[in-house]
Amino acid sequence: MAKAVFVAVSLLLSFLGGHALEDLSPTAFPPPPPMVHCCCSSYPKVARCSWPEPTHSSPVHYIATYRETNQPLANNTYQVIPPVASSSVLDPASSQQMWHFQLPNLKLFTDYIVNITAVYPSNSHSSHLSSFMLEDIVKPDPPVDLRVSPKVRSVLLEWSPPLTWDNLDIFPLKYQIRFQWNIRGKPKFVNIGPFETTSAELRELRTGRPYVVQVCAQELLGLGECSEWSEAVNVTIPKVKL
Ligand SMILES: *[C@@H]1O[C@H](CO)[C@@H](O)[C@H](O)[C@H]1NC(C)=O
Ligand SMILES: *[C@@H]1O[C@H](CO)[C@@H](O)[C@H](O)[C@H]1NC(C)=O
Ligand SMILES: *[C@@H]1O[C@H](CO)[C@@H](O)[C@H](O)[C@H]1NC(C)=O
């Protein structure tokens, strides 16, 4: 009898393999903290932390708290938005499903600590702490509606500011333009700017060479960083016959 049980267990173990055994006991290892990234896409109003839906073990829920760095422990917990409810807000880099936490009423030039805790079915939990000042995490959404009009020896670029940047009058944006091309299969690029307008006429491009053009937007005084690059547009200045 005992021998039969032993054989059955051995068979089961060899069937599962070492890797599967780890999966059977998730509490044996601390679960990973959420990979949180916080940014402010409309200074000074909208700050948001987001993190990808985990691919392996799904946590039951998240707890989000924040406080000013020099204040006592946070008392309130806030609602986090699951990926399903916000499927329109995909991470542009990876199109991954993202969780979101919108931070209300942040003060300017103030240090904050955000604590996003993943609570797993086994009741184990794992926290990610971020600390930042709103001014350091400013990152507009990319400019939209980039258009190129090739001229005789130049090209006119026009674009529109990101629609999500609410206070364009008080906090204007500046822009960088990136040109990419290939020389014998090797990618090259050059960034030019900043431009404080939403158009630029460029005369430096080589005629007959195909370029890929993109634009990014940054707060005019240089708060935070430039947005992700906009959608790309191709342009080739025609060769002029003399
Ligand atoms: C925390 O919450 C309790 C009950 O909701 C409240 O009585 C207390 O004043 C709060 N503390 C802080 C520091 O906000
Ligand atoms: C983060 O939040 C979790 C859940 O509320 C809490 O257990 C943990 O102590 C917090 N961590 C810090 C450093 O405040
Ligand atoms: C733009 O050019 C790239 C190669 O340089 C090409 O892969 C892409 O399909 C082009 N896009 C359009 C819209 O023509």
Side-chain angles (χ1 to χ4, degrees), residues 182 210-212 232-234:
N182 283 307
Y211 291 93
V212 176
V233 166
N234 291 352

Side-chain angles (χ1 to χ4, degrees), residues 63-74:
I63 300 171
T65 60
Y66 74 100
R67 63 185 168 92
E68 288 178 42
T69 302
N70 56 10
Q71 295 288 305
L73 276 178

Side-chain angles (χ1 to χ4, degrees), residues 63-65 67 73-74 77 113 115-117 119 125 127-129:
I63 300 171
T65 60
R67 63 185 168 92
L73 276 178
T77 61
I113 292 184
N115 175 355
I116 311 277
T117 301
V119 183
H125 53 273
S127 301
H128 174 100
L129 299 178

Side-chain angles (χ1 to χ4, degrees), residues 54-102:
T55 44
H56 303 302
S57 52
S58 292
V60 166
H61 68 285
Y62 292 97
I63 300 171
T65 60
Y66 74 100
R67 63 185 168 92
E68 288 178 42
T69 302
N70 56 10
Q71 295 288 305
L73 276 178
N75 210 1
N76 302 334
T77 61
Y78 294 87
Q79 200 195 354
V80 296
I81 306 169
V84 184
S86 61
S87 53
S88 59
V89 200
L90 291 176
D91 175 14
S94 62
S95 331
Q96 241 175 335
Q97 295 273 301
M98 304 293 282
W99 286 77
H100 293 280
F101 169 46
Q102 197 102 6

Side-chain angles (χ1 to χ4, degrees), residues 22-179:
E22 279 176 26
D23 293 342
L24 282 181
S25 53
T27 46
F29 302 92
M35 292 170 49
V36 178
H37 176 76
C38 300
C39 76
C40 164
S41 60
S42 182
Y43 185 76
K45 280 209 220 141
V46 183
R48 191 168 62 198
C49 296
S50 55
W51 58 96
E53 175 92 315
T55 44
H56 303 302
S57 52
S58 292
V60 166
H61 68 285
Y62 292 97
I63 300 171
T65 60
Y66 74 100
R67 63 185 168 92
E68 288 178 42
T69 302
N70 56 10
Q71 295 288 305
L73 276 178
N75 210 1
N76 302 334
T77 61
Y78 294 87
Q79 200 195 354
V80 296
I81 306 169
V84 184
S86 61
S87 53
S88 59
V89 200
L90 291 176
D91 175 14
S94 62
S95 331
Q96 241 175 335
Q97 295 273 301
M98 304 293 282
W99 286 77
H100 293 280
F101 169 46
Q102 197 102 6
L103 291 101
N105 310 322
L106 295 189
K107 296 181 199 160
L108 306 190
F109 299 102
T110 305
D111 283 310
Y112 285 94
I113 292 184
V114 178
N115 175 355
I116 311 277
T117 301
V119 183
Y120 289 86
S122 53
N123 216 16
S124 60
H125 53 273
S126 184
S127 301
H128 174 100
L129 299 178
S130 316
S131 75
F132 57 76
M133 205 163 71
L134 194 52
E135 287 68 23
D136 294 333
I137 59 165
V138 174
K139 185 176 180 185
D141 287 325
V144 294
D145 197 20
L146 175 62
R147 286 146 284 156
V148 292
S149 323
K151 305 272 179 188
V152 176
R153 289 182 184 280
S154 68
V155 59
L156 177 67
L157 301 183
E158 297 169 280
W159 58 89
S160 303
L163 302 171
T164 47
W165 189 264
D166 288 327
N167 300 297
L168 208 48
D169 294 338
I170 310 166
F171 298 104
L173 295 170
K174 61 182 176 184
Y175 303 92
Q176 295 265 344
I177 300 175
R178 164 171 287 189
F179 289 93

